[in-house]
Amino acid sequence: LGLASPVQAASTPLPRVVTADGRHQLQVDGKPYLILGAQVNNSSGWPQMLPAVWPAIEALHANTVQVPIGWGQVEPTRGQFDFSFLDTLVTQAREHDVRLVLLWFATWKNNGPNYAPSWVKLDNKRYPRVVKKDGSTLGSLSPLGTATLEADRNAFVALMKHLRQIDGDRHTVIMVQVENESGTYGSDRDYSAAGDKLLQSPVPAAVLKKTGKSAGSWSQVFGKDAAEYSYAWAIAHYIEQVAAAGKAVYNLPMYANAALRDPFNPGPPGGYSSGGPTDNVIDIWRAAAPSLAFVSPDIYMREYKKYTTVLDRYSRPHNALFVAETGNDTAYARYVFATLGHQGIGFSPFGMDYTKYSNWPLGAKAITPETIQPFAANYELLAPLAGLIAKQSFEGKVWGASEPDDTHEEALDLGDWRVQVSYGRPQFGMDPPKGNEQKLGGVVIVQLADNEYLVAGYHARVNFMPPKGHDGQHFLLEKVQEGRYDENGQWHFIREWNGDQTDYGLNLTSQPQVLRVKLATY
Ligand code: N0T
């Protein structure tokens, strides 16, 4: 035919990520959308595995599922494409009323090209691997391989074309992750001739602008960091070209995810996945890959300090926070609340299916209904609020807290008010908070109007207080309503809380309670 096949005018706008005043919003069907996500295991992207996927997704109350599409799976023979799994996946996702995020496992899947077709990963001449300083080669493919880029991009464009044909009017697929945990373990950069040349070439203007540096070569401008930074640029630039070509045929939001380095003691690049979008090179990535909506952390650190530090570093005016992966062990469940408190657009535990694999020690020892339960409880609570949270978050009117490891209370500054959130505090506040036996506590607070807030969460006590500088001001909880929101965002009143339920703080229990709190001074 020559022309791309005509797609009927989409009934709804394309999914997109919008940014204003340093805050971000994902929109799906033209409406604010919060990803209450789940990612399936790496080898679950096959038709015969899907029956083991859906029951876990349903138990979880997830609204979005991340599923890998492997390059080798769709282009086993060069130039011959097979998208039958994608067709099956999209059909079944619609039946299960969930949206999808596709994960393009291609040149990089956790540093290496295992998901690339054999005709790529066995042809070192055409598709060169990274060369180490001592001249030996690694498994990782070089981002400076022009034929590799061309082949990956070509396959990705074919995927996006097909996706547009089958889903361009429905947007069951709302977003695409380009590659997976790119970067290289075992070297800070590619020591090939092309890699050496890059190091001496001028730093692109976009990077200078983002980093506030003045012109020069990578080694002149960045000194001892030049190896890693130039390599990060090379990978980001590669992924940019793949993403841009894909968006040109079907303009879905795209992002890249990071295998993190330790936020406090990162050690040298190569010890972690060098060149990937780690926290030290986010600016370089954002400059090199403007087609990506954001870069995302994959958080497999249970410790509160590390987890929340990662949230801080990836939540920026120039980068929307999406927790693209996190562990599925109980300790991680509560972090959905801190993610919301960091203006997160989504959260997604990894390995959520019943294919009988577990990625312990990163995640839980086994994936059972019991493993899923704490995540499910959170999603069940948050699902009816998801649109409201996404909407108000974009206005800076959402706060969230997750139970810390060793301290048991935290103050949140809401501007007009403050709240003290405490965990494991006996009734009447008789004793100081001592933390919950299992660290499941978490709270989200959404401002609805002046002096009116929605409060939801588990295993936490929430005490409103006057704002900073107004200590001693007389105030009261004028009205505390418990109720629920329906699918249309309509509030249904259940009862008023008063007396023991409110006198010593709002006591959120193991029940999925949603409160509307009206405050007043006197
Ligand atoms: C993740 C997942 C999957 C501190 C691991 C995490 C997923 C990939 N990689 O199950 O493979 O596709 O994105 C790597 C984390 C390494 C942490 C090292 C221990």
Side-chain angles (χ1 to χ4, degrees):
L1 240 114
L3 290 170
S5 73
V7 172
Q8 284 119 5
S11 46
T12 55
L14 279 165
R16 60 182 192 141
V17 176
V18 293
T19 297
D21 299 328
R23 288 186 291 268
H24 314 278
Q25 185 174 76
L26 171 63
Q27 296 178 354
V28 173
D29 297 339
K31 292 186 297 228
Y33 189 86
L34 174 66
I35 296 180
L36 300 173
Q39 183 166 156
V40 302
N41 280 298
N42 287 168
S43 309
S44 299
W46 297 92
Q48 295 197 62
M49 291 301 107
L50 292 179
V53 167
W54 302 123
I57 301 304
E58 262 164 43
L60 188 59
H61 303 278
N63 61 13
T64 308
V65 188
Q66 295 165 296
V67 182
I69 301 292
W71 181 7
Q73 179 187 30
V74 301
E75 195 186 9
T77 306
R78 194 171 170 190
Q80 288 177 27
F81 291 97
D82 174 0
F83 294 113
S84 52
F85 169 64
L86 180 59
D87 297 343
T88 305
L89 176 67
V90 167
T91 306
Q92 293 192 17
R94 288 174 183 171
E95 285 163 11
H96 289 87
D97 199 23
V98 291
R99 302 291 177 129
L100 295 168
V101 172
L102 300 185
L103 313 172
W104 178 236
F105 286 8
T107 301
W108 291 276
K109 161 63 177 86
N110 307 12
N111 140 98
N114 288 338
Y115 280 76
S118 295
W119 55 270
V120 171
K121 63 188 178 188
L122 300 178
D123 186 349
N124 291 339
K125 233 183 143 59
R126 208 180 157 96
Y127 309 110
R129 299 190 126 87
V130 170
V131 179
K132 281 174 64 170
K133 204 173 201 162
D134 66 7
S136 62
T137 52
L138 289 166
S140 213
L141 291 179
S142 171
L144 302 166
T146 48
T148 323
L149 168 61
E150 208 181 291
D152 184 327
R153 181 174 53 196
N154 183 55
F156 188 65
V157 165
L159 169 71
M160 294 307 291
K161 261 191 193 145
H162 184 81
L163 182 60
R164 179 182 153 201
Q165 270 162 16
I166 63 165
D167 196 42
D169 57 342
R170 290 276 295 268
H171 313 133
T172 308
V173 175
I174 58 171
M175 199 153 73
V176 181
Q177 178 187 296
V178 189
E179 314 292 343
N180 189 82
E181 293 191 347
S182 63
T184 295
Y185 291 100
S187 182
D188 52 0
R189 70 171 175 96
D190 179 14
Y191 285 83
S192 66
D196 290 347
K197 196 172 150 217
L198 171 64
L199 200 63
Q200 303 315 328
S201 69
V203 175
V207 174
L208 295 174
K209 202 175 153 209
K210 271 253 155 66
T211 54
K213 299 280 186 184
S214 39
S217 70
W218 286 96
S219 36
Q220 286 164 343
V221 175
F222 292 111
K224 67 173 181 32
D225 292 322
E228 180 185 11
Y229 288 13
S230 65
Y231 192 54
W233 186 84
I235 296 180
H237 183 57
Y238 181 117
I239 292 181
E240 163 66 16
Q241 292 169 85
V242 175
K247 285 174 75 82
V249 298
Y250 186 29
N251 191 15
L252 289 182
M254 298 192 185
Y255 72 97
N257 63 333
L260 299 178
R261 43 182 228 157
D262 186 287
F264 305 121
N265 298 298
Y272 57 86
S273 191
S274 182
T278 47
D279 59 6
N280 54 329
V281 292
I282 294 175
D283 284 342
I284 291 175
W285 266 79
R286 299 299 289 135
S291 296
L292 299 181
F294 47 82
V295 295
S296 287
D298 294 349
I299 318 183
Y300 293 95
M301 302 164 183
R302 287 174 175 75
E303 304 91 320
Y304 177 86
K305 279 219 176 69
K306 287 189 182 179
Y307 205 107
T308 52
T309 299
V310 170
L311 296 180
D312 275 337
R313 293 192 188 162
Y314 282 83
S315 168
R316 300 184 179 202
H318 296 293
N319 196 68
L321 172 66
F322 170 48
V323 178
E325 290 179 31
T326 197
N328 56 15
D329 209 357
T330 302
Y332 298 100
R334 69 195 201 265
Y335 292 122
V336 69
F337 294 103
T339 299
L340 296 176
H342 283 78
Q343 227 268 295
I345 63 162
F347 179 84
S348 193
F350 173 87
M352 287 303 207
D353 63 42
Y354 291 138
T355 56
K356 306 277 189 265
Y357 173 82
S358 111
N359 70 348
W360 167 263
L362 299 183
K365 283 201 170 131
I367 312 311
T368 61
E370 292 71 43
T371 321
I372 290 180
Q373 197 281 328
F375 294 91
N378 291 341
Y379 282 8
E380 195 180 6
L381 176 72
L382 294 170
L385 315 175
L388 178 67
I389 290 173
K391 177 167 174 282
Q392 297 302 84
S393 179
F394 194 46
E395 310 289 326
K397 293 179 175 170
V398 171
W399 298 266
S402 302
E403 181 167 2
D405 292 327
D406 341 284
T407 54
H408 312 301
E409 54 190 337
E410 184 188 355
L412 300 178
D413 186 353
L414 314 186
D416 298 339
W417 297 90
R418 273 180 307 159
V419 289
Q420 184 82 7
V421 184
S422 53
Y423 305 95
R425 182 158 219 189
Q427 305 300 8
F428 310 103
M430 276 174 182
D431 287 317
K434 57 179 190 337
N436 292 306
E437 241 161 70
Q438 262 193 314
K439 305 265 168 229
L440 289 169
V443 173
V444 61
I445 298 177
V446 183
Q447 184 167 6
L448 301 171
D450 282 350
N451 304 316
E452 195 175 347
Y453 297 87
L454 183 149
V455 176
Y458 290 111
H459 305 286
R461 193 181 289 270
V462 176
N463 252 310
F464 278 85
M465 302 180 298
K468 271 210 179 75
H470 291 77
D471 298 310
Q473 160 78 60
H474 287 305
F475 80 101
L476 45 70
L477 303 177
E478 185 186 341
K479 197 187 276 278
V480 179
Q481 301 181 42
E482 181 185 347
R484 60 171 194 91
Y485 283 94
D486 66 21
E487 316 75 63
N488 307 315
Q490 205 55 42
W491 172 253
H492 296 271
F493 169 84
I494 296 173
R495 63 167 169 166
E496 279 189 29
W497 279 25
N498 210 335
D500 285 353
Q501 278 65 54
T502 60
D503 287 348
Y504 309 92
L506 305 168
N507 188 32
L508 301 171
T509 66
S510 62
Q511 297 307 302
Q513 289 154 336
V514 178
L515 305 176
R516 278 169 73 153
V517 179
K518 193 143 185 278
L519 295 138
T521 53
Y522 61 92

